[in-house]
PDB file of all heavy atoms in Angstrom:
ATOM      1  N   LEU A   1     133.573 -82.163 165.596  1.00 98.00           N
ATOM      2  CA  LEU A   1     133.976 -82.598 166.934  1.00 98.00           C
ATOM      3  C   LEU A   1     134.539 -81.458 167.773  1.00 98.00           C
ATOM      4  O   LEU A   1     134.923 -81.676 168.923  1.00 98.00           O
ATOM      5  CB  LEU A   1     135.016 -83.715 166.827  1.00 98.00           C
ATOM      6  CG  LEU A   1     134.502 -85.041 166.260  1.00 98.00           C
ATOM      7  CD1 LEU A   1     135.661 -86.000 166.036  1.00 98.00           C
ATOM      8  CD2 LEU A   1     133.469 -85.662 167.201  1.00 98.00           C
ATOM      9  N   GLY A   2     134.597 -80.247 167.198  1.00 98.00           N
ATOM     10  CA  GLY A   2     135.004 -79.086 167.987  1.00 98.00           C
ATOM     11  C   GLY A   2     136.341 -78.486 167.632  1.00 98.00           C
ATOM     12  O   GLY A   2     136.765 -77.511 168.274  1.00 98.00           O
ATOM     13  N   VAL A   3     137.033 -79.008 166.628  1.00 99.00           N
ATOM     14  CA  VAL A   3     138.335 -78.453 166.254  1.00 99.00           C
ATOM     15  C   VAL A   3     138.131 -77.085 165.619  1.00 99.00           C
ATOM     16  O   VAL A   3     137.353 -76.952 164.665  1.00 99.00           O
ATOM     17  CB  VAL A   3     139.080 -79.401 165.287  1.00 99.00           C
ATOM     18  CG1 VAL A   3     140.366 -78.760 164.775  1.00 99.00           C
ATOM     19  CG2 VAL A   3     139.367 -80.729 165.983  1.00 99.00           C
ATOM     20  N   ARG A   4     138.848 -76.080 166.130  1.00 99.00           N
ATOM     21  CA  ARG A   4     138.677 -74.726 165.620  1.00 99.00           C
ATOM     22  C   ARG A   4     139.950 -74.124 165.041  1.00 99.00           C
ATOM     23  O   ARG A   4     139.921 -72.986 164.581  1.00 99.00           O
ATOM     24  CB  ARG A   4     138.081 -73.825 166.712  1.00 99.00           C
ATOM     25  CG  ARG A   4     136.625 -74.149 167.039  1.00 99.00           C
ATOM     26  CD  ARG A   4     135.732 -74.045 165.812  1.00 99.00           C
ATOM     27  NE  ARG A   4     134.328 -74.396 166.071  1.00 99.00           N
ATOM     28  CZ  ARG A   4     133.803 -75.586 165.853  1.00 99.00           C
ATOM     29  NH1 ARG A   4     134.557 -76.572 165.367  1.00 99.00           N
ATOM     30  NH2 ARG A   4     132.538 -75.816 166.097  1.00 99.00           N
ATOM     31  N   TYR A   5     141.058 -74.861 165.045  1.00 99.00           N
ATOM     32  CA  TYR A   5     142.146 -74.521 164.138  1.00 99.00           C
ATOM     33  C   TYR A   5     142.898 -75.781 163.757  1.00 99.00           C
ATOM     34  O   TYR A   5     142.892 -76.781 164.483  1.00 99.00           O
ATOM     35  CB  TYR A   5     143.081 -73.431 164.675  1.00 99.00           C
ATOM     36  CG  TYR A   5     144.076 -73.775 165.777  1.00 99.00           C
ATOM     37  CD1 TYR A   5     145.148 -74.654 165.559  1.00 99.00           C
ATOM     38  CD2 TYR A   5     144.014 -73.134 167.011  1.00 99.00           C
ATOM     39  CE1 TYR A   5     146.085 -74.916 166.553  1.00 99.00           C
ATOM     40  CE2 TYR A   5     144.947 -73.387 168.003  1.00 99.00           C
ATOM     41  CZ  TYR A   5     145.985 -74.276 167.762  1.00 99.00           C
ATOM     42  OH  TYR A   5     146.919 -74.534 168.738  1.00 99.00           O
ATOM     43  N   LEU A   6     143.517 -75.715 162.577  1.00 99.00           N
ATOM     44  CA  LEU A   6     144.415 -76.759 162.101  1.00 99.00           C
ATOM     45  C   LEU A   6     145.740 -76.111 161.763  1.00 99.00           C
ATOM     46  O   LEU A   6     145.786 -75.160 160.972  1.00 99.00           O
ATOM     47  CB  LEU A   6     143.851 -77.454 160.857  1.00 99.00           C
ATOM     48  CG  LEU A   6     144.811 -78.436 160.161  1.00 99.00           C
ATOM     49  CD1 LEU A   6     144.996 -79.696 160.993  1.00 99.00           C
ATOM     50  CD2 LEU A   6     144.316 -78.793 158.754  1.00 99.00           C
ATOM     51  N   THR A   7     146.832 -76.603 162.368  1.00 99.00           N
ATOM     52  CA  THR A   7     148.179 -76.198 161.992  1.00 99.00           C
ATOM     53  C   THR A   7     148.521 -76.965 160.708  1.00 99.00           C
ATOM     54  O   THR A   7     148.471 -78.198 160.698  1.00 99.00           O
ATOM     55  CB  THR A   7     149.179 -76.561 163.097  1.00 99.00           C
ATOM     56  OG1 THR A   7     148.621 -76.212 164.377  1.00 99.00           O
ATOM     57  CG2 THR A   7     150.494 -75.835 162.899  1.00 99.00           C
ATOM     58  N   LEU A   8     148.844 -76.270 159.639  1.00 99.00           N
ATOM     59  CA  LEU A   8     148.937 -76.926 158.334  1.00 99.00           C
ATOM     60  C   LEU A   8     150.005 -78.013 158.290  1.00 99.00           C
ATOM     61  O   LEU A   8     149.827 -79.040 157.632  1.00 99.00           O
ATOM     62  CB  LEU A   8     149.183 -75.894 157.231  1.00 99.00           C
ATOM     63  CG  LEU A   8     148.068 -74.854 157.014  1.00 99.00           C
ATOM     64  CD1 LEU A   8     148.354 -74.031 155.775  1.00 99.00           C
ATOM     65  CD2 LEU A   8     146.689 -75.499 156.927  1.00 99.00           C
ATOM     66  N   THR A   9     151.129 -77.803 158.962  1.00 98.00           N
ATOM     67  CA  THR A   9     152.154 -78.853 159.043  1.00 98.00           C
ATOM     68  C   THR A   9     152.682 -78.915 160.473  1.00 98.00           C
ATOM     69  O   THR A   9     152.428 -78.029 161.286  1.00 98.00           O
ATOM     70  CB  THR A   9     153.364 -78.587 158.108  1.00 98.00           C
ATOM     71  OG1 THR A   9     154.140 -77.508 158.638  1.00 98.00           O
ATOM     72  CG2 THR A   9     152.923 -78.275 156.698  1.00 98.00           C
ATOM     73  N   HIS A  10     153.443 -79.990 160.731  1.00 97.00           N
ATOM     74  CA  HIS A  10     154.251 -80.007 161.943  1.00 97.00           C
ATOM     75  C   HIS A  10     155.715 -80.014 161.495  1.00 97.00           C
ATOM     76  O   HIS A  10     156.129 -79.129 160.748  1.00 97.00           O
ATOM     77  CB  HIS A  10     153.884 -81.182 162.856  1.00 97.00           C
ATOM     78  CG  HIS A  10     154.515 -81.072 164.219  1.00 97.00           C
ATOM     79  ND1 HIS A  10     155.504 -81.921 164.646  1.00 97.00           N
ATOM     80  CD2 HIS A  10     154.329 -80.181 165.221  1.00 97.00           C
ATOM     81  CE1 HIS A  10     155.893 -81.565 165.861  1.00 97.00           C
ATOM     82  NE2 HIS A  10     155.191 -80.516 166.234  1.00 97.00           N
ATOM     83  N   SER A  11     156.490 -80.985 161.913  1.00 94.00           N
ATOM     84  CA  SER A  11     157.932 -80.953 161.670  1.00 94.00           C
ATOM     85  C   SER A  11     158.343 -81.515 160.315  1.00 94.00           C
ATOM     86  O   SER A  11     159.510 -81.404 159.934  1.00 94.00           O
ATOM     87  CB  SER A  11     158.652 -81.727 162.779  1.00 94.00           C
ATOM     88  OG  SER A  11     158.191 -83.069 162.834  1.00 94.00           O
ATOM     89  N   GLU A  12     157.411 -82.128 159.588  1.00 95.00           N
ATOM     90  CA  GLU A  12     157.730 -82.702 158.281  1.00 95.00           C
ATOM     91  C   GLU A  12     156.820 -82.116 157.207  1.00 95.00           C
ATOM     92  O   GLU A  12     155.645 -81.857 157.455  1.00 95.00           O
ATOM     93  CB  GLU A  12     157.579 -84.227 158.317  1.00 95.00           C
ATOM     94  CG  GLU A  12     158.551 -84.922 159.265  1.00 95.00           C
ATOM     95  CD  GLU A  12     158.414 -86.431 159.244  1.00 95.00           C
ATOM     96  OE1 GLU A  12     157.759 -86.957 158.319  1.00 95.00           O
ATOM     97  OE2 GLU A  12     158.946 -87.085 160.154  1.00 95.00           O
ATOM     98  N   SER A  13     157.398 -81.922 156.024  1.00 98.00           N
ATOM     99  CA  SER A  13     156.611 -81.442 154.892  1.00 98.00           C
ATOM    100  C   SER A  13     155.632 -82.518 154.433  1.00 98.00           C
ATOM    101  O   SER A  13     155.904 -83.716 154.524  1.00 98.00           O
ATOM    102  CB  SER A  13     157.531 -81.055 153.735  1.00 98.00           C
ATOM    103  OG  SER A  13     158.310 -79.921 154.078  1.00 98.00           O
ATOM    104  N   LEU A  14     154.493 -82.059 153.930  1.00 98.00           N
ATOM    105  CA  LEU A  14     153.482 -82.931 153.339  1.00 98.00           C
ATOM    106  C   LEU A  14     153.503 -82.745 151.831  1.00 98.00           C
ATOM    107  O   LEU A  14     154.138 -81.808 151.319  1.00 98.00           O
ATOM    108  CB  LEU A  14     152.102 -82.575 153.893  1.00 98.00           C
ATOM    109  CG  LEU A  14     151.971 -82.526 155.417  1.00 98.00           C
ATOM    110  CD1 LEU A  14     150.615 -81.968 155.808  1.00 98.00           C
ATOM    111  CD2 LEU A  14     152.205 -83.896 156.016  1.00 98.00           C
ATOM    112  N   ASP A  15     152.778 -83.579 151.116  1.00 98.00           N
ATOM    113  CA  ASP A  15     152.741 -83.377 149.671  1.00 98.00           C
ATOM    114  C   ASP A  15     151.883 -82.174 149.293  1.00 98.00           C
ATOM    115  O   ASP A  15     151.892 -81.748 148.134  1.00 98.00           O
ATOM    116  CB  ASP A  15     152.269 -84.636 148.943  1.00 98.00           C
ATOM    117  CG  ASP A  15     150.927 -85.161 149.424  1.00 98.00           C
ATOM    118  OD1 ASP A  15     150.243 -84.447 150.197  1.00 98.00           O
ATOM    119  OD2 ASP A  15     150.548 -86.277 149.030  1.00 98.00           O
ATOM    120  N   TRP A  16     151.203 -81.575 150.293  1.00 98.00           N
ATOM    121  CA  TRP A  16     150.384 -80.396 149.995  1.00 98.00           C
ATOM    122  C   TRP A  16     150.781 -79.137 150.764  1.00 98.00           C
ATOM    123  O   TRP A  16     150.253 -78.047 150.486  1.00 98.00           O
ATOM    124  CB  TRP A  16     148.903 -80.693 150.202  1.00 98.00           C
ATOM    125  CG  TRP A  16     148.484 -81.205 151.559  1.00 98.00           C
ATOM    126  CD1 TRP A  16     148.396 -82.505 151.951  1.00 98.00           C
ATOM    127  CD2 TRP A  16     148.060 -80.414 152.686  1.00 98.00           C
ATOM    128  NE1 TRP A  16     147.955 -82.587 153.252  1.00 98.00           N
ATOM    129  CE2 TRP A  16     147.730 -81.322 153.725  1.00 98.00           C
ATOM    130  CE3 TRP A  16     147.922 -79.054 152.908  1.00 98.00           C
ATOM    131  CZ2 TRP A  16     147.281 -80.890 154.974  1.00 98.00           C
ATOM    132  CZ3 TRP A  16     147.475 -78.612 154.145  1.00 98.00           C
ATOM    133  CH2 TRP A  16     147.162 -79.535 155.165  1.00 98.00           C
ATOM    134  N   ALA A  17     151.722 -79.218 151.694  1.00 98.00           N
ATOM    135  CA  ALA A  17     152.178 -78.047 152.443  1.00 98.00           C
ATOM    136  C   ALA A  17     153.572 -78.318 152.995  1.00 98.00           C
ATOM    137  O   ALA A  17     153.863 -79.439 153.420  1.00 98.00           O
ATOM    138  CB  ALA A  17     151.209 -77.708 153.580  1.00 98.00           C
ATOM    139  N   ASP A  18     154.415 -77.288 152.994  1.00 98.00           N
ATOM    140  CA  ASP A  18     155.808 -77.448 153.408  1.00 98.00           C
ATOM    141  C   ASP A  18     156.030 -76.992 154.838  1.00 98.00           C
ATOM    142  O   ASP A  18     155.486 -75.958 155.277  1.00 98.00           O
ATOM    143  CB  ASP A  18     156.739 -76.640 152.488  1.00 98.00           C
ATOM    144  CG  ASP A  18     156.746 -77.170 151.071  1.00 98.00           C
ATOM    145  OD1 ASP A  18     156.615 -78.398 150.905  1.00 98.00           O
ATOM    146  OD2 ASP A  18     156.871 -76.357 150.128  1.00 98.00           O
ATOM    147  N   SER A  19     156.841 -77.758 155.558  1.00 98.00           N
ATOM    148  CA  SER A  19     157.236 -77.426 156.930  1.00 98.00           C
ATOM    149  C   SER A  19     158.486 -76.552 156.913  1.00 98.00           C
ATOM    150  O   SER A  19     159.320 -76.644 156.004  1.00 98.00           O
ATOM    151  CB  SER A  19     157.516 -78.709 157.719  1.00 98.00           C
ATOM    152  OG  SER A  19     158.110 -78.412 158.970  1.00 98.00           O
ATOM    153  N   CYS A  20     158.633 -75.734 157.956  1.00 97.00           N
ATOM    154  CA  CYS A  20     159.830 -74.900 158.095  1.00 97.00           C
ATOM    155  C   CYS A  20     161.055 -75.719 158.480  1.00 97.00           C
ATOM    156  O   CYS A  20     162.181 -75.219 158.409  1.00 97.00           O
ATOM    157  CB  CYS A  20     159.597 -73.816 159.134  1.00 97.00           C
ATOM    158  SG  CYS A  20     159.489 -74.417 160.843  1.00 97.00           S
ATOM    159  N   SER A  21     160.855 -76.970 158.884  1.00 93.00           N
ATOM    160  CA  SER A  21     161.961 -77.769 159.410  1.00 93.00           C
ATOM    161  C   SER A  21     162.192 -79.031 158.586  1.00 93.00           C
ATOM    162  O   SER A  21     162.683 -80.035 159.100  1.00 93.00           O
ATOM    163  CB  SER A  21     161.682 -78.141 160.873  1.00 93.00           C
ATOM    164  OG  SER A  21     160.395 -78.703 161.028  1.00 93.00           O
ATOM    165  N   ASP A  22     161.859 -78.954 157.294  1.00 94.00           N
ATOM    166  CA  ASP A  22     162.045 -80.101 156.415  1.00 94.00           C
ATOM    167  C   ASP A  22     162.211 -79.588 154.989  1.00 94.00           C
ATOM    168  O   ASP A  22     161.905 -78.421 154.680  1.00 94.00           O
ATOM    169  CB  ASP A  22     160.819 -81.027 156.513  1.00 94.00           C
ATOM    170  CG  ASP A  22     161.063 -82.415 155.926  1.00 94.00           C
ATOM    171  OD1 ASP A  22     162.226 -82.728 155.614  1.00 94.00           O
ATOM    172  OD2 ASP A  22     160.083 -83.168 155.789  1.00 94.00           O
ATOM    173  N   ALA A  23     162.690 -80.433 154.110  1.00 95.00           N
ATOM    174  CA  ALA A  23     162.825 -80.067 152.701  1.00 95.00           C
ATOM    175  C   ALA A  23     161.441 -79.845 152.093  1.00 95.00           C
ATOM    176  O   ALA A  23     160.485 -80.550 152.427  1.00 95.00           O
ATOM    177  CB  ALA A  23     163.564 -81.165 151.947  1.00 95.00           C
ATOM    178  N   PRO A  24     161.305 -78.861 151.182  1.00 98.00           N
ATOM    179  CA  PRO A  24     159.986 -78.583 150.592  1.00 98.00           C
ATOM    180  C   PRO A  24     159.544 -79.674 149.639  1.00 98.00           C
ATOM    181  O   PRO A  24     160.354 -80.307 148.964  1.00 98.00           O
ATOM    182  CB  PRO A  24     160.208 -77.262 149.846  1.00 98.00           C
ATOM    183  CG  PRO A  24     161.676 -77.225 149.556  1.00 98.00           C
ATOM    184  CD  PRO A  24     162.338 -77.926 150.715  1.00 98.00           C
ATOM    185  N   ARG A  25     158.236 -79.886 149.591  1.00 97.00           N
ATOM    186  CA  ARG A  25     157.637 -80.843 148.656  1.00 97.00           C
ATOM    187  C   ARG A  25     156.530 -80.199 147.828  1.00 97.00           C
ATOM    188  O   ARG A  25     156.231 -80.651 146.731  1.00 97.00           O
ATOM    189  CB  ARG A  25     157.057 -82.039 149.427  1.00 97.00           C
ATOM    190  CG  ARG A  25     158.087 -82.851 150.196  1.00 97.00           C
ATOM    191  CD  ARG A  25     157.421 -83.940 151.049  1.00 97.00           C
ATOM    192  NE  ARG A  25     156.644 -84.870 150.242  1.00 97.00           N
ATOM    193  CZ  ARG A  25     155.821 -85.779 150.764  1.00 97.00           C
ATOM    194  NH1 ARG A  25     155.675 -85.859 152.099  1.00 97.00           N
ATOM    195  NH2 ARG A  25     155.150 -86.600 149.985  1.00 97.00           N
ATOM    196  N   ALA A  26     155.902 -79.161 148.362  1.00 98.00           N
ATOM    197  CA  ALA A  26     154.707 -78.599 147.731  1.00 98.00           C
ATOM    198  C   ALA A  26     154.927 -77.211 147.137  1.00 98.00           C
ATOM    199  O   ALA A  26     153.992 -76.623 146.602  1.00 98.00           O
ATOM    200  CB  ALA A  26     153.571 -78.534 148.756  1.00 98.00           C
ATOM    201  N   ARG A  27     156.149 -76.666 147.263  1.00 96.00           N
ATOM    202  CA  ARG A  27     156.430 -75.300 146.814  1.00 96.00           C
ATOM    203  C   ARG A  27     155.458 -74.314 147.456  1.00 96.00           C
ATOM    204  O   ARG A  27     154.881 -73.455 146.798  1.00 96.00           O
ATOM    205  CB  ARG A  27     156.377 -75.199 145.288  1.00 96.00           C
ATOM    206  CG  ARG A  27     157.429 -76.034 144.578  1.00 96.00           C
ATOM    207  CD  ARG A  27     157.363 -75.856 143.077  1.00 96.00           C
ATOM    208  NE  ARG A  27     158.376 -76.669 142.401  1.00 96.00           N
ATOM    209  CZ  ARG A  27     158.543 -76.722 141.079  1.00 96.00           C
ATOM    210  NH1 ARG A  27     157.747 -76.016 140.294  1.00 96.00           N
ATOM    211  NH2 ARG A  27     159.483 -77.480 140.560  1.00 96.00           N
ATOM    212  N   GLY A  28     155.291 -74.454 148.756  1.00 98.00           N
ATOM    213  CA  GLY A  28     154.345 -73.627 149.499  1.00 98.00           C
ATOM    214  C   GLY A  28     153.082 -74.402 149.772  1.00 98.00           C
ATOM    215  O   GLY A  28     152.980 -75.128 150.760  1.00 98.00           O
ATOM    216  N   LEU A  29     152.111 -74.262 148.885  1.00 98.00           N
ATOM    217  CA  LEU A  29     150.870 -75.047 148.948  1.00 98.00           C
ATOM    218  C   LEU A  29     150.602 -75.641 147.575  1.00 98.00           C
ATOM    219  O   LEU A  29     150.689 -74.955 146.553  1.00 98.00           O
ATOM    220  CB  LEU A  29     149.676 -74.166 149.336  1.00 98.00           C
ATOM    221  CG  LEU A  29     149.519 -73.723 150.789  1.00 98.00           C
ATOM    222  CD1 LEU A  29     148.313 -72.790 150.906  1.00 98.00           C
ATOM    223  CD2 LEU A  29     149.370 -74.903 151.733  1.00 98.00           C
ATOM    224  N   SER A  30     150.252 -76.909 147.547  1.00 98.00           N
ATOM    225  CA  SER A  30     149.800 -77.541 146.312  1.00 98.00           C
ATOM    226  C   SER A  30     148.351 -77.111 146.062  1.00 98.00           C
ATOM    227  O   SER A  30     147.706 -76.503 146.926  1.00 98.00           O
ATOM    228  CB  SER A  30     149.874 -79.058 146.448  1.00 98.00           C
ATOM    229  OG  SER A  30     148.826 -79.524 147.294  1.00 98.00           O
ATOM    230  N   PRO A  31     147.784 -77.442 144.890  1.00 98.00           N
ATOM    231  CA  PRO A  31     146.356 -77.168 144.675  1.00 98.00           C
ATOM    232  C   PRO A  31     145.468 -77.769 145.769  1.00 98.00           C
ATOM    233  O   PRO A  31     144.498 -77.134 146.200  1.00 98.00           O
ATOM    234  CB  PRO A  31     146.082 -77.793 143.301  1.00 98.00           C
ATOM    235  CG  PRO A  31     147.397 -77.662 142.586  1.00 98.00           C
ATOM    236  CD  PRO A  31     148.439 -77.907 143.641  1.00 98.00           C
ATOM    237  N   PHE A  32     145.813 -78.976 146.249  1.00 98.00           N
ATOM    238  CA  PHE A  32     145.016 -79.547 147.339  1.00 98.00           C
ATOM    239  C   PHE A  32     145.210 -78.734 148.620  1.00 98.00           C
ATOM    240  O   PHE A  32     144.258 -78.526 149.382  1.00 98.00           O
ATOM    241  CB  PHE A  32     145.399 -81.004 147.591  1.00 98.00           C
ATOM    242  CG  PHE A  32     144.661 -81.622 148.757  1.00 98.00           C
ATOM    243  CD1 PHE A  32     143.320 -81.946 148.646  1.00 98.00           C
ATOM    244  CD2 PHE A  32     145.304 -81.846 149.972  1.00 98.00           C
ATOM    245  CE1 PHE A  32     142.625 -82.499 149.726  1.00 98.00           C
ATOM    246  CE2 PHE A  32     144.624 -82.397 151.044  1.00 98.00           C
ATOM    247  CZ  PHE A  32     143.277 -82.716 150.926  1.00 98.00           C
ATOM    248  N   GLY A  33     146.424 -78.257 148.856  1.00 98.00           N
ATOM    249  CA  GLY A  33     146.659 -77.416 150.024  1.00 98.00           C
ATOM    250  C   GLY A  33     145.813 -76.155 149.989  1.00 98.00           C
ATOM    251  O   GLY A  33     145.287 -75.714 151.022  1.00 98.00           O
ATOM    252  N   GLU A  34     145.660 -75.563 148.819  1.00 98.00           N
ATOM    253  CA  GLU A  34     144.787 -74.400 148.691  1.00 98.00           C
ATOM    254  C   GLU A  34     143.336 -74.780 148.976  1.00 98.00           C
ATOM    255  O   GLU A  34     142.591 -74.005 149.597  1.00 98.00           O
ATOM    256  CB  GLU A  34     144.919 -73.802 147.290  1.00 98.00           C
ATOM    257  CG  GLU A  34     146.301 -73.196 147.033  1.00 98.00           C
ATOM    258  CD  GLU A  34     146.398 -72.526 145.678  1.00 98.00           C
ATOM    259  OE1 GLU A  34     145.386 -72.519 144.931  1.00 98.00           O
ATOM    260  OE2 GLU A  34     147.482 -71.996 145.364  1.00 98.00           O
ATOM    261  N   GLN A  35     142.934 -75.976 148.552  1.00 98.00           N
ATOM    262  CA  GLN A  35     141.588 -76.462 148.871  1.00 98.00           C
ATOM    263  C   GLN A  35     141.392 -76.573 150.383  1.00 98.00           C
ATOM    264  O   GLN A  35     140.319 -76.235 150.913  1.00 98.00           O
ATOM    265  CB  GLN A  35     141.359 -77.834 148.252  1.00 98.00           C
ATOM    266  CG  GLN A  35     140.934 -77.846 146.811  1.00 98.00           C
ATOM    267  CD  GLN A  35     140.562 -79.260 146.377  1.00 98.00           C
ATOM    268  OE1 GLN A  35     141.437 -80.078 146.079  1.00 98.00           O
ATOM    269  NE2 GLN A  35     139.284 -79.566 146.379  1.00 98.00           N
ATOM    270  N   VAL A  36     142.410 -77.067 151.082  1.00 98.00           N
ATOM    271  CA  VAL A  36     142.320 -77.202 152.537  1.00 98.00           C
ATOM    272  C   VAL A  36     142.075 -75.842 153.172  1.00 98.00           C
ATOM    273  O   VAL A  36     141.196 -75.678 154.039  1.00 98.00           O
ATOM    274  CB  VAL A  36     143.605 -77.851 153.107  1.00 98.00           C
ATOM    275  CG1 VAL A  36     143.604 -77.783 154.638  1.00 98.00           C
ATOM    276  CG2 VAL A  36     143.726 -79.303 152.655  1.00 98.00           C
ATOM    277  N   VAL A  37     142.830 -74.826 152.756  1.00 98.00           N
ATOM    278  CA  VAL A  37     142.672 -73.486 153.321  1.00 98.00           C
ATOM    279  C   VAL A  37     141.277 -72.950 153.044  1.00 98.00           C
ATOM    280  O   VAL A  37     140.607 -72.400 153.938  1.00 98.00           O
ATOM    281  CB  VAL A  37     143.755 -72.536 152.763  1.00 98.00           C
ATOM    282  CG1 VAL A  37     143.462 -71.083 153.148  1.00 98.00           C
ATOM    283  CG2 VAL A  37     145.135 -72.946 153.270  1.00 98.00           C
ATOM    284  N   ARG A  38     140.806 -73.111 151.815  1.00 98.00           N
ATOM    285  CA  ARG A  38     139.468 -72.604 151.485  1.00 98.00           C
ATOM    286  C   ARG A  38     138.376 -73.337 152.270  1.00 98.00           C
ATOM    287  O   ARG A  38     137.384 -72.724 152.690  1.00 98.00           O
ATOM    288  CB  ARG A  38     139.218 -72.743 149.981  1.00 98.00           C
ATOM    289  CG  ARG A  38     140.104 -71.823 149.134  1.00 98.00           C
ATOM    290  CD  ARG A  38     139.639 -71.804 147.677  1.00 98.00           C
ATOM    291  NE  ARG A  38     140.574 -71.032 146.867  1.00 98.00           N
ATOM    292  CZ  ARG A  38     141.533 -71.570 146.113  1.00 98.00           C
ATOM    293  NH1 ARG A  38     141.670 -72.896 146.054  1.00 98.00           N
ATOM    294  NH2 ARG A  38     142.343 -70.810 145.411  1.00 98.00           N
TER     295      ARG A  38
END
């Protein structure tokens, strides 16, 4: 649909990527988070 970047998080941590403004959940990137980047 034309999206050419994805910001990995916003203001809350996800189970696959951590936000700078929330408690960590993924210790950086989870294995799924690495899949997203690849």
Side-chain angles (χ1 to χ4, degrees):
L1 292 173
V3 174
R4 290 302 178 264
Y5 75 67
L6 172 72
T7 316
L8 297 188
T9 72
H10 191 249
S11 58
E12 296 182 14
S13 293
L14 308 172
D15 55 10
W16 56 269
D18 294 326
S19 170
C20 70
S21 51
D22 195 10
R25 297 174 59 190
R27 297 182 180 179
L29 284 177
S30 74
F32 177 73
E34 293 184 1
Q35 277 188 280
V36 171
V37 170
R38 292 191 186 99

